[in-house]
Amino acid sequence: MPRSYASAVLNATADEVWAYLRDFGNLADWMPGMQAGVIEDGGPGDRVGCVRRVWATGDSVFRERLAGLDDAGRSYWYQILEAPLPIRDARAHLRVAPVTGTGQAFVEWWGEFSADPGDEEAMDKTLSHGIYATGLDALARRFARRPGRT
């Protein structure tokens, strides 16, 4: 099962970044290429079991279920229920940790999936670079623009 991975250091504390990211329903607010998103039953975005639906450019739909949330560990993990990608049995994790020497936040985003052998390499690159790294770059820009930050 391939494992796609990306990480970044953000110019904010781990607690600040986690306070923002722990809302599973706000993906469309920070992820490039996402037009809108909702929690399907209208409940809170930090309730384990909730399903977020996000619409990407071109009306592609992603549906993902929050499988676990760990505030002490500043992480959550989720299952991808529906995606416009040739993947299956996909799950992903997002984790925020402090960089002790600088006070910044280290953010990791990774996932595992199954795909037909001919699609594995392309899907690994799509997830690692096109989704995870792109999203983390957007978060880095978001936190870099914050007043009082250098």
Side-chain angles (χ1 to χ4, degrees), residues 14-58:
D15 287 339
E16 289 170 321
V17 174
W18 179 243
Y20 183 70
L21 287 180
R22 75 180 300 280
D23 179 358
F24 189 64
N26 75 358
L27 183 70
D29 294 342
W30 57 269
M31 183 68 188
M34 296 298 161
Q35 302 301 310
V38 297
I39 298 298
E40 288 187 350
D41 68 2
D46 63 353
R47 189 187 75 243
V48 173
C50 71
V51 174
R52 71 179 172 199
R53 178 185 299 259
V54 288
W55 289 267
T57 304

Side-chain angles (χ1 to χ4, degrees), residues 9-111:
V9 175
L10 278 54
N11 194 24
T13 67
D15 287 339
E16 289 170 321
V17 174
W18 179 243
Y20 183 70
L21 287 180
R22 75 180 300 280
D23 179 358
F24 189 64
N26 75 358
L27 183 70
D29 294 342
W30 57 269
M31 183 68 188
M34 296 298 161
Q35 302 301 310
V38 297
I39 298 298
E40 288 187 350
D41 68 2
D46 63 353
R47 189 187 75 243
V48 173
C50 71
V51 174
R52 71 179 172 199
R53 178 185 299 259
V54 288
W55 289 267
T57 304
D59 293 327
S60 297
V61 174
F62 291 80
R63 292 182 66 241
E64 300 164 334
R65 176 180 293 122
L66 183 62
L69 184 134
D70 177 5
D71 280 319
R74 294 184 202 91
S75 66
Y76 66 67
W77 50 100
Y78 59 97
Q79 300 163 316
I80 299 170
L81 305 175
E82 180 182 332
L85 304 170
I87 59 173
R88 58 189 175 278
D89 304 321
R91 55 189 173 274
H93 294 74
L94 191 130
R95 184 178 79 94
V96 180
V99 178
T100 56
T102 65
Q104 295 169 301
F106 176 72
V107 184
E108 298 178 283
W109 196 356
W110 72 92

